[in-house]
Amino acid sequence: MYEGIKQATGKPAKKSTPLKSKTGETITDQDNKLARWVEHYLDLYSKENSVSQEALDAIKDLPVLKELDAEPTLEELNKAINALSCGKASGEDGIPPEIIKSGKPVLLEPLHKLLCQCWREAAEEDWLPPTFVCCVLVPTLFGIFFSLLLNFAFKDSEESVHLHTRSDGKLFNLSRLKAKKKVCTVHIREMLFADDTALTSHTEEDLQSLMDRFAHACKEFGLTISIKKTHVKGQGVLATPSNCIDNEKLEITHQFIYPGSTVTSKLSLEVKISKRIAKAAAIMAKCSFLPKFSIHVETKYEDNKGINDNIFDTELRDEETEVCFIDIAYDEIPERYYKESEDPRCFKSEKTARGLLQEGWRDTQDPIMCSYKLVTVKFEVWGLQTRVEQFVHKVVRDVLLLGHRQAFAWVDEWIDMTMEEVREYERATQEATNKKLGTFPPAIAISETPLPACARSGPSSAPSTPLSTEAPDFLSVPKDRPRKKSAPETLTLPDPARRDSAFRLPSLFSWGPSTPQPE
């Protein structure tokens, strides 16, 4: 299944977003794009930005934590080992965390000595490479700088979203939230998304106040707000908000997309769910699972009571083949398909005097023709193969049981037909069935097999059976039974390359003591 999805999705396409020059022209060449980025950053950092004295005075002096310079202790290392997660991949040393946790009593002291030695050597020399400084320290320092900016902007602000919560885990107990104990109020006014910030409030006026405070703090700290990248979104509001920064009106947006989530103005997940369903449907539509589904039915006839266990000379293992006897008289059929006129226990032929089969009829009737069916089902989809193949075998068994009961009960209709009329009836039924299932291939096909020389033709005066363009009743879906639209509309009968599972279904027909009948 996963291999099919990989083939359907293919290699990820490399997308390149075009850039625009200062004059608004689109840039597609890679070299020109790099030159445009250089130009952009030169203009961005050519301006001298400085933090105002007011902002510097608002920053509190924090005590220096000298204990962080001390070497790690045995207790800290022990706590770190206990916090290791099991079942994770090992690192570059190839040692899984289970071994370290299991050998902690022996490894704790040697590991502590090694850690302290690395700590002392790192403190004596400049061990941070330039790439590590740029990738790790710069974002960390900017995060600290931005936290100071937010504290300066909202140090005495009351505008925010108030959330009542509890510290004992009873978050959804409304009666407990009304209590005065163990209940705390959380004020949420800013939410950080990587290098983006979202300001929240209950009213449009409060939001404008927060934005004015934020804009003032950015000026004091030497930062510039990008008006083009700043949007306003209202959730559950009647009127569209109209907020601005420095008298410039902000653009209205209805959704905010962040890696892994989509926040919309409708307070629902419909957009996110629809996108995921559409993506999954597009991928699954390319996966060719149906060609791995096939049903193959092989038929042979013998004048016996179903005693030939290897009539098909198959090489299937015993555990892959199950022999199932079908008794057209006493095997149960679905109630919706039962008709008394087609019950061999109640039916008696007017032309042949056959019928009214009693219990044990296979031992008393002679001769008997047995129809051997080798049904092979293949459905190679991981996780569903066994269940689907068993279900198909059950359905095929019910269809064969019903069809052979009707063939016995309709003996007066076909006993006088010539072989040419039988073939014509098969052809018409085949066309009607394919028309009912659909005009697109693949469709049901009946192979033409040569008849033995001993086959007897009916008299020329035999009445012809009227042919109809409608499918037989046993192939029609009852009107009182609702159809499931999710079910497949066609049945393919290809010749499988190999046979995964099979049923042998001997179907017994009772022939009276009259003259032999054609196959």
Side-chain angles (χ1 to χ4, degrees), residues 166 174-183:
R166 292 183 62 87
L174 299 181
S175 60
R176 298 241 179 142
L177 285 177
K178 297 178 182 179
K180 297 182 179 180
K181 295 181 179 180
K182 297 183 180 180
V183 176

Side-chain angles (χ1 to χ4, degrees), residues 135-432:
C135 296
V136 178
L137 290 186
V138 171
T140 303
L141 294 176
F142 179 78
I144 297 174
F145 179 80
F146 198 72
S147 298
L148 295 174
L149 185 150
L150 294 177
N151 290 332
F152 177 80
F154 308 122
K155 54 186 176 180
D156 56 353
S157 174
E158 295 294 336
E159 299 87 357
S160 62
V161 175
H162 303 267
L163 295 181
H164 296 277
T165 183
R166 292 183 62 87
S167 58
D168 57 353
K170 306 294 183 180
L171 188 60
F172 299 102
N173 193 330
L174 299 181
S175 60
R176 298 241 179 142
L177 285 177
K178 297 178 182 179
K180 297 182 179 180
K181 295 181 179 180
K182 297 183 180 180
V183 176
C184 59
T185 302
V186 181
H187 299 270
I188 299 178
R189 65 172 61 91
E190 73 274 350
M191 294 182 291
L192 303 182
F193 299 90
D195 55 350
D196 296 330
T197 304
L199 304 179
T200 62
S201 66
H202 280 298
T203 62
E204 182 179 345
E205 293 76 14
D206 292 346
L207 181 60
Q208 183 62 51
S209 176
L210 293 176
M211 296 173 66
D212 293 340
R213 289 173 176 269
F214 184 74
H216 173 70
C218 288
K219 292 179 180 179
E220 296 295 325
F221 278 78
L223 299 181
T224 304
I225 300 177
S226 177
I227 303 298
K228 294 182 179 180
K229 296 182 179 180
T230 306
H231 301 83
V232 180
K233 178 174 64 65
Q235 289 183 309
V237 295
L238 299 178
T240 303
S242 57
N243 298 92
C244 58
I245 295 180
D246 295 336
N247 297 326
E248 292 190 35
K249 190 174 181 180
L250 300 177
E251 184 180 351
I252 304 298
T253 184
H254 297 286
Q255 66 179 12
F256 173 69
I257 301 177
Y258 190 70
S261 62
T262 301
V263 183
T264 64
S265 58
K266 296 182 179 180
L267 297 174
S268 66
L269 299 175
E270 293 181 359
V271 176
K272 180 179 178 180
I273 294 175
S274 300
K275 287 183 178 180
R276 294 202 174 191
I277 292 177
K279 185 177 180 179
I283 293 176
M284 297 301 292
K286 300 178 182 179
C287 298
S288 56
F289 295 132
L290 289 182
K292 298 182 179 180
F293 175 54
S294 63
I295 303 174
H296 180 258
V297 182
E298 187 176 353
T299 304
K300 288 186 178 181
Y301 300 92
E302 280 192 354
D303 294 334
N304 55 49
K305 300 178 181 180
I307 59 176
N308 192 346
D309 293 335
N310 196 26
I311 187 174
F312 295 100
D313 297 327
T314 58
E315 297 180 356
L316 296 175
R317 298 189 302 270
D318 293 339
E319 60 269 16
E320 291 182 346
T321 307
E322 179 182 349
V323 179
C324 177
F325 285 91
I326 294 181
D327 189 336
I328 63 173
Y330 289 92
D331 282 355
E332 295 184 358
I333 66 171
E335 183 179 356
R336 61 179 178 273
Y337 293 130
Y338 178 79
K339 294 181 181 180
E340 185 177 357
S341 60
E342 297 175 354
D343 190 346
R345 296 171 297 179
C346 305
F347 167 77
K348 187 174 181 62
S349 173
E350 296 180 357
K351 295 183 179 181
T352 63
R354 302 165 188 162
L356 300 178
L357 300 182
Q358 303 298 324
E359 188 74 32
W361 62 272
R362 288 188 296 180
D363 299 329
T364 59
Q365 298 291 329
D366 186 62
I368 292 181
M369 183 187 71
C370 181
S371 173
Y372 292 87
K373 304 282 186 179
L374 180 62
V375 182
T376 305
V377 181
K378 182 172 65 174
F379 187 77
E380 295 181 352
V381 176
W382 181 84
L384 299 175
Q385 181 172 3
T386 302
R387 293 186 178 182
V388 172
E389 289 179 354
Q390 290 177 351
F391 174 76
V392 173
H393 277 306
K394 179 181 180 302
V395 173
V396 172
R397 184 190 185 282
D398 293 342
V399 171
L400 293 177
L401 173 60
L402 181 62
H404 287 78
R405 285 169 59 96
Q406 292 173 337
F408 179 80
W410 296 348
V411 61
D412 291 342
E413 300 291 332
W414 54 262
I415 191 65
D416 296 328
M417 292 176 62
T418 63
M419 192 53 61
E420 290 75 12
E421 291 174 333
V422 171
R423 295 305 182 201
E424 178 63 21
Y425 182 81
E426 289 178 348
R427 184 195 60 78
T429 304
Q430 173 188 347
E431 293 179 356

